[in-house]
């Protein structure tokens, strides 16, 4: 062990990020895999953001249907919702890609 | 919530849409004639107000123009009174055209804000990507 480097603290955190949920536990509870991720982990944050995107997309979809059926009073509401949903999705995708990039960078490290 | 510029511009788009609606109502009724024993068509004016939360604008209500209207002598009009007068609405078409242009430009301006905000957010997502 090299002196001055805190041992294993980071490693313990990595084991708890919830990237790979315990298969048996997920099957037993029947919940989504996100539920396994500890609070504040990358997976949980990403999952929360994904939920947000999903709700924005469903709002956008509902307004799209309203526009087609003639129930929409404000045209811009539908286009704004779709803009919002697309920007939010881009953001979540970017964060996810950066996370995976960082993970791959670490995997490429060699002694 | 996040993505606020889009939401704020959205409230302004709604206000300008309502303004456009009121102007179109005024222009549509510019020749609406009433008998002298009832009120003339009253021009509609939207009352825009800043949101209390500091996040945009909303229409607080509608104000109505002069019910007196313009008394016009048209003895042959079926609605004319015994002196031959009818009420025309007191709407200035030039003023309405000015309002129409302002409402349209305001709407376009806020639509541009939405576009710019979206471009800005996308630029933020591009940071560090060109390696």
């Amino acid at each position: 062990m090299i002196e001055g480097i805190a041992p294993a603290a980071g490693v313990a955190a990595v084991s708890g990020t919830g990237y790979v949920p315990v298969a048996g536990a997920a099957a037993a509870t029947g919940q989504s895999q996100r539920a396994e991720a500890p609070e504040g982990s990358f997976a949980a944050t990403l999952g929360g953001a994904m939920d947000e995107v999903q709700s924005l997309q469903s709002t956008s979809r509902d307004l799209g249907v309203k526009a087609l059926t003639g129930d929409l009073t404000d045209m811009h509401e539908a286009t704004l919702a779709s803009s919002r949903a697309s920007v939010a999705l881009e953001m979540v995708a970017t964060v996810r890609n950066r996370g995976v990039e960082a993970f791959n960078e670490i995997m490429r490290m060699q002694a | 919530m996040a993505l606020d510029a889009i939401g704020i511009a959205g409230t302004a788009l709604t206000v300008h849409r309502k303004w456009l609606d009121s102007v179109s109502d005024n222009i549509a009724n510019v020749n609406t004639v009433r008998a002298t024993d009832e009120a003339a068509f009253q021009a509609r004016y939207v009352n825009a107000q800043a949101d209390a939360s500091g996040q945009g604008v909303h229409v607080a209500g509608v104000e109505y123009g002069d019910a007196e209207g313009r008394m016009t002598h048209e003895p042959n009009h079926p609605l004319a009174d015994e002196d031959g007068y009818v009420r025309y609405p007191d709407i200035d078409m030039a003023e309405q055209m000015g309002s129409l242009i302002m409402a349209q430009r305001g709407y376009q301006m806020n639509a541009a804000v939405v576009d710019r905000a979206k471009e800005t957010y996308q630029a933020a997502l591009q940071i560090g990507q060109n390696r």
Side-chain angles (χ1 to χ4, degrees):
Chain A
M1 170 73 58
I2 303 164
E3 291 296 321
I5 295 177
V11 176
V14 167
S15 71
T17 51
Y19 279 126
V20 185
V22 184
T29 57
Q31 286 178 331
S32 72
Q33 297 189 347
R34 280 204 297 281
E36 308 288 322
E39 193 77 20
S41 72
F42 181 69
T45 310
L46 202 62
M50 214 59 227
D51 286 343
E52 183 119 340
V53 169
Q54 211 148 33
S55 92
L56 284 170
Q57 281 177 341
S58 86
T59 309
S60 170
R61 204 169 31 243
D62 290 350
L63 286 169
V65 170
K66 271 189 172 179
L68 290 175
T69 53
D71 292 335
L72 195 66
T73 50
D74 281 320
M75 233 23 239
H76 60 259
E77 270 182 26
T79 47
L80 283 192
S82 106
S83 282
R84 260 199 168 134
S86 89
V87 172
L89 178 63
E90 272 179 59
M91 189 181 74
V92 172
T94 305
V95 170
R96 176 257 179 211
N97 290 342
R98 299 294 170 83
V100 170
E101 241 173 65
F103 180 77
N104 286 338
E105 201 66 45
I106 291 166
M107 291 302 279
R108 276 198 291 273
M109 277 186 195
Q110 288 180 31
Chain B
M1 77 160 270
L3 309 178
D4 253 332
I6 291 181
I8 291 171
T11 65
L13 284 171
T14 306
V15 167
H16 283 93
R17 197 269 299 160
K18 288 178 178 171
W19 190 10
L20 270 171
D21 287 355
S22 78
V23 170
S24 89
D25 197 23
N26 293 344
I27 293 176
N29 282 291
V30 81
N31 286 315
T32 299
V33 178
R34 299 256 171 90
T36 48
D37 56 355
E38 53 184 329
F41 175 84
Q42 290 165 274
R44 281 93 165 98
Y45 298 97
V46 293
N47 182 6
Q49 230 170 51
D51 274 358
S53 58
Q55 303 257 318
V57 63
H58 65 274
V59 172
V62 180
E63 307 290 339
Y64 291 97
D66 188 15
E68 183 82 17
R70 283 183 292 117
M71 296 283 275
T72 308
H73 189 64
E74 279 187 17
N76 293 329
H77 200 285
L79 291 175
D81 60 10
E82 59 269 22
D83 298 325
Y85 282 94
V86 291
R87 276 189 212 280
Y88 272 85
D90 191 15
I91 294 174
D92 181 9
M93 276 201 279
E95 187 193 318
Q96 293 301 322
M97 284 308 292
S99 296
L100 183 66
I101 291 167
M102 284 195 287
Q104 184 202 5
R105 293 296 184 219
Y107 193 95
Q108 288 174 333
M109 201 154 59
N110 284 288
V113 168
V114 173
D115 274 349
R116 297 303 155 88
K118 191 180 170 190
E119 278 173 29
T120 308
Y121 296 140
Q122 283 170 336
L125 294 175
Q126 295 293 321
I127 291 173
Q129 262 189 5
N130 33 9
R131 276 162 298 131

